[in-house]
Every structure is written in structure tokens, then in C-alpha cells.
Amino acid sequence: MSTQQEWIITRSEFNPQKIHHDETVFTIGNGYLSTRGSFEESFPEENAATFIHGVFDDIPVVFTELVNVPNWLDCVLILDGERFRLDYGEILDYENQLDLSKATLTRSVKWRSPAGKAYQISFERVICLHEQHLLLLRVGINPLDGDAEVIFRSGINGCVSNEGYVHWKHKAQSVQPGRGWLSLVTKKSETGLGMSFSLKSSLPQIKMQAWNMDMHPVLNCSGFIPSQEVLWFEKRVTVYTTRDVQEPIHASETLLGQLKASSWEDLISAHQKKWQQVWTQSDIEIDSEDDAQIAIRYNLFQLLIAAPWQDEQVNIGAKTLSGYGYHGHVFWDTEIFMLPFFTYTQPQVARNLLSYRYHRLAGARKKAKENGYLGAQFPWESADDGEEVTPTWVQHPTDRTKLTRIWTGDIQIHVSADIALAVWRYGQVSGDDKFLHERGIPIILETALFWESRAEWNEINQTYQFSDVIGPDEYHDHVDNNAYNNFMVRWHFRIAEQAAHLLQAHEPDLYAGLVDQLGLSDSRMQHWLEIANHIYFEQDALTGLIEQFQGFFQLEDLDWKSLEPRSESIQSLLGIEATNQVQALKQADVLMLFYLFPDAFPSQIMAVNYDYYNARTDHTYGSSLGPSIHALVACQLGKTEEAYQHFIRSAHADLYDVRGNAGDGIHAASAGGLWQAVVFGFGGLRVDEYGYHCQSRLPKKWRRLRFRFCYRGEWITIQIPGQEVRE
Ligand code: IFM
């Protein structure tokens, strides 16, 4: 095991300007819920939030959003008549620490009140992994200048909103010395929530009064702390929703009662043991001169705390459960960027994530039908019911008096092929044939039907084409024949034909059911292959350059240097329309194909295209989905040091707020891409139908790399330089 410093994220200074960034950085969770790293005692203009997977409610414009649930931290601390909060008094010493190995957030503040008395105050926060409905908080108060009179109030605060929008209606509540509970329901989706809490103090002279305030059961604790003694409060919170059980309050009260017999130490040790197991599978060790070790662990930690360990009806939003960005909506970010990490290190989570798509086929069928297509068309943004939830209009990024039309929900259609690819790759790596046969192949076939009806025959070119789409590079919309889109569709048709025959051979009854349901036939599948073989895909015979979409090479080349120095994206500098007219990319597009299909292109072709598109990509201010892919492709081309620069950009995206928007939540796709950049890029792992092998290339600053993965039930450890160990 590595040294402690390689597991701990520390802030030793409080910077109120960075509060929203830090709230995101110090998010903790357990795959059921997450809580941002805001302070127990609150802070003005904080963005405190706790989100539970799957708890959505309606909201105008963006249709539905994850709901900020009652604040379970909820503390007011008054010391000798002065309220403790970091905007009052003086901070003499400060340390905020996230221990990634134990998933524990601790904060210790030496504080001088406005009246001049000093106190040491500490907090320890845990969202249990071994019991996903249990949250723990400990607060320690140590007066440093003589006795202190203390008032400590804590409960469950249901007066919360999503940045001003209130989703909760009151049902019932109760509080008595030692414990209380709150029952609420969301206004539109009618999801019920029950939260219970218990509170105890370490000193007998502390008196406890129950305050039953509106939507806010609270315990008011008061008394004296003798000089130099530490007063501890221990709070336990249990939470259920009607997504879990019929009677959430009954369940939260029962669990709280059952846990009475367990000590704080017992609970913490069970939680830590579970995390140890998780890290045994998912950790990456990097011995290097840089901060790659802590950065990779931090990114993996953020994926792991958002991973639905026990729920196949939810998925991971683009910002995990760590912020308001994208309202909890799910994108291709899951399948293309995050999923490989889970497929290779936590396969049951990958299965849950893909099962979410299977259970949302009804929404995808509806979308296809409404658009006049066959089969299933997955939405660009998905949430609770799997219907399209991409907003149609949003506020203009620079001129707030204007609205901007968002086209992704209408025409960014590659997501259906992205999901099919993730399904197939999961099946290949995990060997989970049951999933593949019962859920995976039905997804692949139903989405193939969508592509069949979406393909357009062009009599003049004698090609099948896809006009009016958006590819991964969202700086260009309404384009024809995006190379990524078309290549993915070609792959999709070919794999659909193979998958159908595989199912027919192994599960004839399931296959017969699909034949009936989807109208499959040999001639239909021949037609799929026919489309695949005639899909438009333009590659310059002389240069080997693949055109990102029809007409891309005719666009004006941008003079990037003339725009430097800059601190915003090309799109916000030039405007949406002007950016559409130049060869500037928000993120990898053609290069995505080299990352996903490294064996499909000769390296010379990859190199030519990498050089061309890499030079035309808005790496720092474009999409956070870009750098990890550029890192990976650069590795494939042996440009290891260039890959390293891209890797660092992705590794620091949230830790150092590279794009200035980390306050909205974790860039989950970047985190998932980072794992791939290390394992597939620097580690050089390749898995195909014949097995796996590694062709590693470490950057100069790295001395050693070690990772594990599971291939068809067998755990393999790769150490570079060094050996491969099969367990
Ligand atoms: O899915 C991405 C997209 O590729 C770029 N814009 C942000 C989305 C959510 O992360």
C-alpha cells in the first residue's frame, strides 16, 4: 500500500472565493447518494446539496432534475454567545482533508471568535459504503481559552431547494430528545423520502431540547464545556425513499434502531473494510515525480462514489451526484468514457449501468416512433423514464437577454451506437453471456432497427448517408455524414448481424421472441450489411485524412495564435454561428475512432489525422471530454510526452478547476477517460476477441505503473516495468 500522502486531498487554507470548487472537490458518497463538501455550519452563498440516485422531479425547460434532498449536516454552533461560521471571527488554523482510501471527510478549524476566545472545532463525515442508507457525522468542540458555554443545534433541514426551485412537500415529522425524523414527498414525481436521525453528546451536563420547526426537526443542545475538555456530538442519519421501500420512514426508523447497538468504531471499521475491497480491484499505482498518483485516485474515487452498486434502474449523470450541472442527466459520457473503468474493475456496476439502458428501451422506442423511425432511439440526455430530456432552449452564454436553441436532443444521434458498443465490449470482457443474451443483444438489435430507418440512400453517390446530425464535436451542428457517426453505425450493423446469429445459436427461444417482436429476418439482416458496406465515409486518398463531416475541409482554417492569450472557449469568443464556419473542434471527433477501434486503421493514417485534428482542437477551454482521448491516441502513436500533457489536463480538470466550472460538479467523463488513458494508453492494454496483451510506454516522469483488471472472471495484475500476474 502506498503512503498516506498519496491518498489524501488536503486544503490547508480556506479561500471563500473557491467555495463552490471546494464543495465539488470534497464531495463524498456511496453510490446511493452523495453530499457536496459544503460546511456543516453553512456559509453564505454556499451550494450545499445532497443527491440520491434516481430521485428526480419535474422542472420547466430541462424537464426533470435530480432533487437536492434535506440537509442532513445541518449544524448551528454558538460558542459563548457567538455563532461559529467561517465568515465571522478569525481562522487561526484550517485543514480540510478527504481520505480517499477510507472515504472520510475531516475538517479541523482553530477559530477565534469576534469576542477573542479561541476554540478548536473538528468535523468527521462519513457516508457508509457497507450500509448505503447510513450517514455519520461527528463534531468535536474544544475551548482553548477557559470554560465555554455551548449551544449546538442539529437536525434534518427540509427547507432546501435546487438553487431556488423547491421540489419538496411536507408529509410529517417528529422530534424528541435524542432523535427525530422527517417525511417529505416531491411535488410532481411523488417520490417519498424518509430521513431519521439520532444525536448524542459525550458530556452528561449537555441538555437536549426537541424543536419541531416547520420542515425541520431539530435538537437544541446546551451546556458548559470545562476548559481543555473536548465535547463530542455524534449524529447518525438514515435515509430511504419510495424507490427503495413502500414506507421510507418506517425503514429509516427501523435501521436507526437496529444500529443502536453498534459503536461508532464498529460502523467506521465496516465502512473502511468495504472501501478496502473496492480499492483492491480498482486502484492504480503510479510511482512518479509528479502528482499523477493522487490525481488518478481522486478521479477514480469520484467515479466509485457515484457507482450504483445495488441499483440497475439508475445511471451516472455527466456531473455524477456532485453538483447541479446538467441536472443529473445521463449522456454518452457513461458508455464511452466511464463504462470501461467499471467493465474492467467493477463489472457488476457496469452491468447495472447497462441494465439501466435496457430498462429504458420504452423511452427509446417512443423517441424513435415520434421521429418516424423504427426500433429504439436512445435520447441524447436521459433521466428517470428514459425519454428525451435535453432542453430545447437555454439562456445565451454571453447575452442573457437571448435564448440559444439546443439541437443535440434532436440530431446528436450517435448515442444509440455508443450504447451498443459499450454493451458488446462489456460482454466481450466480462464473459457475462446471460446479460448479453437477455438484455445486451436486444438493445443492439432494436437500435439497429432505428439506424435502418434513419439511413438515407443517395442515388447520386450510391451511398447510405446520415444528414443533419451532430458528431462528438459540438462546435459544428447540422452537418452531413459525420465520420464518427457513420463509422459507428457501420460497426453497429455488422455487430447486430453477428449478435443475432450468436443468439440464434445459443438461445433459440430468446431469438425467436425477438424475431417476432422486431420483425427480424435474414433478408433484413442482409439489408443491414448492405447499408454498412455502402455508408458514406470520406478519406482523402492522397493524404489519408478523414473528413470530420462533408465539407469540413472547405471551412476556413482558424488563426489560433491571433486569439491568444485567451481564457475562454473558441465558441464563446467567436459566437456559435462563426465557430460553425471554422475548422475548430470542441473535442475529439475523428480521433474517437482511433481510440475505440485502434486496429481498424494503419498507424500512419492515425498519425496524419492526429496531427491535423490535434492542432485544431480547443484543448483547454473546449470540452473536458477531449484531453483523455488525445492522451490515449497520442500514446498509441508513441508520442508519450505529448500524451502526458493531455493526461495532466484531464487529471487536473476538477482538482485544479482547469476550466473554471468544477463548481457545477465533477467532470465524470474526463475521470473515466483518465482511467483509459492510463490503462489503454500508457499501460497499452488491448483486449479483443482473442484475449489481451500489453504494449506499455510510460512517460519520463513515471517510474512504475501497476493496475488490475478482470478478464472473463480472472483477475490480472499488470506491473510496468515488470510482470503480469494472473490470480
Ligand atoms: O456529452 C458531453 C458532450 O460530449 C460535450 N458537452 C457536454 C456533454 C456532457 O458532458
Side-chain angles (χ1 to χ4, degrees):
M1 208 55 140
S2 326
T3 67
Q4 279 305 299
Q5 285 326 306
E6 291 167 342
W7 287 99
I8 297 175
I9 305 287
T10 303
R11 282 276 186 279
S12 308
E13 231 170 71
F14 173 59
N15 179 355
Q17 309 304 322
K18 290 249 157 215
I19 178 165
H20 295 153
H21 172 222
D22 270 5
E23 285 172 350
T24 298
V25 168
F26 291 103
T27 297
I28 59 170
N30 61 2
Y32 174 77
L33 61 66
S34 284
T35 297
R36 281 169 65 77
S38 27
F39 300 149
E40 285 76 2
E41 72 281 9
S42 80
F43 192 81
E45 290 174 38
E46 66 181 2
N47 253 345
T50 295
F51 298 108
I52 301 181
H53 262 313
V55 177
F56 282 95
D57 194 39
D58 297 7
I59 176 153
V61 184
V62 296
F63 303 102
T64 184
E65 67 180 0
L66 274 180
V67 176
N68 178 19
V69 306
N71 181 2
W72 65 277
L73 303 170
D74 185 44
C75 297
V76 169
L77 177 59
I78 300 171
L79 297 164
D80 296 304
E82 309 261 13
R83 179 157 179 187
F84 166 71
R85 226 170 58 175
L86 297 190
D87 53 331
Y88 304 136
E90 196 183 342
I91 301 169
L92 304 174
D93 200 16
Y94 178 88
E95 194 165 69
N96 202 3
Q97 287 199 325
L98 171 58
D99 185 329
L100 304 171
S101 68
K102 301 184 176 128
T104 305
L105 184 62
T106 52
R107 185 162 53 104
S108 163
V109 186
K110 191 170 170 186
W111 181 73
R112 187 182 289 132
S113 70
K117 279 184 79 174
Y119 310 84
Q120 187 73 43
I121 300 147
S122 54
F123 301 88
E124 184 177 346
R125 189 189 301 179
V126 171
I127 296 183
C128 293
L129 190 63
H130 71 291
E131 172 45 81
Q132 63 172 3
H133 301 281
L134 177 64
L135 325 172
L136 301 171
L137 177 65
R138 212 151 62 147
V139 182
I141 306 153
N142 179 10
L144 302 175
D145 292 328
D147 295 354
E149 189 192 317
V150 63
I151 295 176
F152 178 76
R153 288 181 199 131
S154 195
I156 305 285
N157 189 354
C159 301
V160 290
S161 70
N162 279 41
E163 300 179 302
Y165 197 89
V166 177
H167 284 289
W168 293 109
K169 277 190 307 198
H170 186 252
K171 274 188 82 181
Q173 68 184 70
S174 163
V175 62
Q176 64 191 71
R179 61 194 286 174
W181 55 263
L182 175 66
S183 167
L184 304 175
V185 64
T186 55
K187 286 182 174 165
K188 289 282 166 44
S189 62
E190 304 206 324
T191 307
L193 171 124
M195 266 194 184
S196 301
F197 76 101
S198 68
L199 186 69
K200 65 179 187 196
S201 80
S202 60
L203 295 179
Q205 67 268 33
I206 300 296
K207 301 267 173 308
M208 223 180 243
Q209 281 175 316
W211 287 8
N212 215 354
M213 302 192 299
D214 198 20
M215 300 265 274
H216 192 181
V218 170
L219 287 170
N220 182 64
C221 312
S222 54
F224 272 93
I225 317 176
S227 171
Q228 301 302 334
E229 268 206 48
V230 183
L231 166 63
W232 285 100
F233 286 98
E234 181 190 309
K235 183 175 180 181
R236 298 178 180 191
V237 177
T238 50
V239 53
Y240 284 85
T241 74
T242 45
R243 291 195 65 256
D244 314 308
V245 289
Q246 258 183 349
E247 299 291 342
I249 272 301
H250 178 71
S252 64
E253 282 290 285
T254 307
L255 179 62
L256 199 61
Q258 282 165 355
L259 293 172
K260 229 173 167 178
S262 312
S263 67
W264 172 272
E265 288 71 25
D266 290 345
L267 296 173
I268 295 291
S269 122
H271 162 76
Q272 291 180 356
K273 203 164 152 212
K274 197 84 188 157
W275 267 101
Q276 211 173 12
Q277 288 164 8
V278 167
W279 280 117
T280 305
Q281 291 181 200
S282 294
D283 189 26
I284 289 183
E285 287 177 39
I286 302 174
D287 179 8
S288 67
E289 286 164 27
D290 57 11
D291 67 351
Q293 177 65 88
I294 189 86
I296 185 81
R297 283 190 176 138
Y298 178 74
N299 279 278
L300 301 185
F301 175 80
Q302 287 297 339
L303 291 176
L304 292 165
I305 64 170
W309 303 95
Q310 299 175 36
D311 193 342
E312 55 177 53
Q313 295 292 345
V314 297
N315 204 292
I316 305 177
K319 299 284 181 187
T320 66
L321 295 172
S322 63
Y324 288 107
Y326 294 118
H327 307 272
H329 295 181
V330 175
F331 295 69
W332 72 316
D333 303 32
T334 299
E335 284 78 14
I336 296 297
F337 294 82
M338 298 178 229
L339 203 89
F341 166 61
F342 294 115
T343 295
Y344 282 84
T345 78
Q346 304 287 347
Q348 82 284 12
V349 173
R351 188 182 213 278
N352 286 347
L353 292 168
L354 292 172
S355 293
Y356 161 88
R357 294 294 192 178
Y358 175 76
H359 296 307
R360 300 294 173 285
L361 272 170
R365 282 181 202 123
K366 185 165 177 240
K367 179 164 170 119
K369 194 164 176 208
E370 282 171 2
N371 289 337
Y373 302 122
L374 299 174
Q377 178 187 7
F378 280 106
W380 178 244
E381 293 184 30
S382 181
D384 48 353
D385 61 8
E387 293 189 17
E388 183 60 76
V389 289
T390 306
T392 321
W393 296 91
V394 296
Q395 210 161 42
H396 193 278
T398 45
D399 182 351
R400 298 200 152 248
T401 62
K402 285 192 194 145
L403 290 176
T404 300
R405 178 72 163 88
I406 299 294
W407 290 104
T408 50
D410 305 68
I411 56 175
Q412 193 155 2
I413 55 178
H414 59 79
V415 57
S416 293
D418 302 331
I419 293 168
L421 180 74
V423 161
W424 189 251
R425 296 261 163 102
Y426 166 76
Q428 228 174 26
V429 175
S430 67
D432 183 353
D433 289 342
K434 186 170 158 57
F435 172 85
L436 197 63
H437 296 157
E438 292 174 6
R439 297 179 174 181
I441 293 179
I443 291 178
I444 292 174
L445 295 176
E446 242 185 293
T447 39
L449 273 185
F450 157 68
W451 290 122
E452 174 195 310
S453 56
R454 177 65 176 77
E456 310 142 36
W457 174 245
N458 184 321
E459 196 56 41
I460 301 165
N461 301 341
Q462 295 286 297
T463 56
Y464 282 94
Q465 62 180 35
F466 291 87
S467 53
D468 197 21
V469 299
I470 302 177
D473 162 32
E474 294 170 347
Y475 277 177
H476 299 93
D477 53 27
H478 298 291
V479 304
D480 295 338
N481 290 314
N482 168 263
Y484 174 83
N485 186 84
N486 289 13
F487 192 96
M488 290 293 286
V489 177
R490 179 158 72 193
W491 173 88
H492 194 156
F493 277 131
R494 290 177 178 160
I495 224 63
E497 191 263 349
Q498 265 188 46
H501 288 125
L502 188 105
L503 192 65
Q504 188 176 24
H506 290 91
E507 295 284 351
D509 292 346
L510 285 181
Y511 179 71
L514 286 180
V515 167
D516 281 353
Q517 188 198 329
L518 306 180
L520 296 181
S521 64
D522 284 347
S523 64
R524 171 159 251 154
M525 284 184 281
Q526 272 314 308
H527 180 50
W528 289 355
L529 294 182
E530 187 65 17
I531 304 176
N533 294 339
H534 292 91
I535 274 185
Y536 181 100
F537 190 80
E538 190 61 21
Q539 186 168 4
D540 189 292
L542 217 58
T543 60
L545 279 179
I546 297 166
E547 191 169 37
Q548 184 175 304
F549 55 82
Q550 239 176 320
F552 181 83
F553 291 145
Q554 267 84 62
L555 299 180
E556 198 189 312
D557 228 344
L558 191 63
D559 180 0
W560 291 78
K561 282 214 177 92
S562 69
L563 299 172
E564 300 297 344
R566 65 188 168 101
S567 55
E568 48 189 325
S569 73
I570 295 295
Q571 195 179 54
S572 52
L573 271 179
L574 305 186
I576 294 171
E577 288 76 20
T579 307
N580 238 319
Q581 300 309 319
V582 291
Q583 293 192 32
L585 278 68
K586 179 179 176 182
Q587 64 203 88
D589 196 306
V590 167
L591 301 189
M592 291 297 296
L593 297 175
F594 306 155
Y595 138 61
L596 292 172
F597 304 96
D599 296 325
F601 301 89
S603 54
Q604 206 268 336
I605 297 294
M606 293 206 259
V608 166
N609 282 278
Y610 174 85
D611 289 344
Y612 191 86
Y613 287 109
N614 183 54
R616 288 164 176 79
T617 303
D618 193 357
H619 295 294
T620 310
Y621 301 107
S623 168
S624 66
L625 280 69
S628 56
I629 304 305
H630 282 259
L632 212 160
V633 177
C635 276
Q636 289 167 345
L637 296 170
K639 297 173 186 265
T640 314
E641 295 313 310
E642 195 171 322
Y644 179 75
Q645 299 308 321
H646 289 304
F647 163 84
I648 287 292
R649 207 173 272 131
S650 170
H652 289 176
D654 291 311
L655 275 177
Y656 295 93
D657 198 8
V658 170
R659 290 182 156 67
N661 62 358
D664 297 342
I666 289 293
H667 293 87
S670 169
L674 198 70
W675 181 88
Q676 300 189 62
V678 174
V679 170
F680 301 141
F682 300 118
L685 177 69
R686 281 279 182 90
V687 176
D688 53 30
E689 60 269 44
Y690 309 110
Y692 63 87
H693 61 273
C694 276
Q695 199 187 356
S696 61
R697 11 14 203 174
L698 300 193
K700 283 201 195 97
K701 288 194 172 166
W702 294 10
R703 290 177 287 268
R704 191 178 66 92
L705 169 67
R706 188 172 189 271
F707 57 87
R708 287 182 89 210
F709 67 95
C710 184
Y711 179 67
R712 298 186 157 257
E714 182 188 14
W715 280 94
I716 296 133
T717 303
I718 304 286
Q719 182 155 309
I720 304 158
Q723 77 289 28
E724 166 195 316
V725 181
R726 291 162 191 243
E727 293 153 36

